[in-house]
Amino acid sequence: MSSSNDAPLSPQSELALSCFEELLNCVVADVASECHRIARLGLDRSVDSEEEELRVWAARTTAATAGGEHPHPGGGGAAEEGGSKGGVDVFGETHPAIAADVVECMNCGRPVVAGRFAPHLEKCMGKGRKARPKITRSSSTGRTRSSNGSTAAFYSPYSTPNPNRASVPNGVTDGSTARGDYSNHAA
Amino acid sequence: MVCGRRASINRPPTPSAEEDREKEPSLGEIINIKLVESGEKEKLMELLRERLVECGWRDEMKALCRAYARKKGRNNVTVDDLIHVITPKGRASVPDSVKAELLQRIRSFLMSTSLR
């Protein structure tokens, strides 16, 4: 490398060298910018990820107390909870892995934790493959809707009965008088 | 106002000094403009990037940055820091073959533009 620098340079070679240097500076700036991004976003995972997480978190909490940043135990996003879940989102907020919001089931009307909504719907509407008897009232499990009328129950709010299911809405309405909005009174 | 302000009429226009300098763009600037206009600069950049990735130079530089960021605390690094970290080592560790190839292409470009 250095041997080329020792040779006397013609003006043209000098020019070529300065061109090369400019190109190299651009590439260096690119690499630096990308590494800066990786460092700041915490995307750089080491082999000892847990140890690294602890170190990063310790650094961040000390930086937080010094710089007034918002310290959060999520750690650097990537290994925490598998990607964008956990860690911090673009607003700087954290989210627990299992969604904690409580929503109202549109089927039975009960408040359900969002993270448990899918299993709840499974029981609430009946699992698709399991052949459920067409019962209108189920006192044992506390469900307020028969499982067989599940798909009709979804269509009923639109108040246009599916002609193929003319019999089913009748079955549904019997069991769900309390839920007037959802039932289809067309007979 | 004019009668009381002769000095302002005689005051030389401000850009003249700079204008004289700018009348003669340096050779380097001419070359740069030609490089960009012809699209050769873009090609050279791509070629350089490709070669530096192939030979592992980029990974070396990234490792340097990683180590520096870990040492300094990853929220305390700036882009400038990283550039200053990489530049000396980076310049020195470009493989000879890559440098030679790029210089060769630049030189042939310079000759083709018939400036030299």
Side-chain angles (χ1 to χ4, degrees), chain A residues 93-186:
Chain A
E93 317 223 332
T94 60
H95 300 274
I98 301 176
D101 280 23
V102 175
V103 297
E104 184 185 311
C105 170
M106 64 284 294
N107 206 27
C108 65
R110 282 200 282 167
V112 186
V113 177
R116 301 288 309 163
F117 190 60
H120 166 83
L121 268 192
E122 269 191 328
K123 297 186 200 100
C124 184
M125 293 170 54
K127 303 185 203 329
R129 266 191 242 154
K130 224 169 151 191
R132 307 283 247 167
K134 195 168 110 181
I135 44 171
T136 58
R137 232 186 283 261
S138 172
S139 53
S140 54
T141 58
R143 286 184 297 113
T144 55
R145 252 185 205 280
S146 68
S147 56
N148 204 18
S150 56
T151 45
F154 264 110
Y155 292 136
S156 53
Y158 298 95
S159 75
T160 315
N162 190 334
N164 296 332
R165 298 195 176 278
S167 59
V168 177
N170 289 333
V172 168
T173 52
D174 283 348
S176 57
T177 43
R179 298 260 115 226
D181 0 325
Y182 294 108
S183 54
N184 188 343
H185 292 287

Side-chain angles (χ1 to χ4, degrees), chain A residues 1 22 30 34 40 44, chain B residues 41 49 58 66 75 96:
Chain A
M1 272 294 287
E22 197 192 325
D30 282 349
E34 185 183 330
R40 292 296 301 233
D44 166 31
Chain B
K41 186 167 189 192
R49 282 202 185 106
R58 193 165 202 265
R66 262 203 301 267
N75 283 324
D96 285 354

Side-chain angles (χ1 to χ4, degrees), chain B residues 51-95:
Chain B
R51 291 288 178 263
L52 290 178
V53 168
E54 282 170 0
C55 67
W57 177 93
R58 193 165 202 265
D59 296 329
E60 272 180 47
M61 297 302 115
K62 283 177 79 167
L64 279 178
C65 291
R66 262 203 301 267
Y68 179 82
R70 280 204 195 121
K71 198 176 66 172
K72 213 184 170 212
R74 65 179 182 87
N75 283 324
N76 298 334
V77 293
T78 65
V79 181
D80 265 353
D81 283 349
L82 292 177
I83 292 182
H84 288 124
V85 164
I86 299 180
T87 297
K89 184 92 204 301
R91 286 211 182 124
S93 63
V94 174

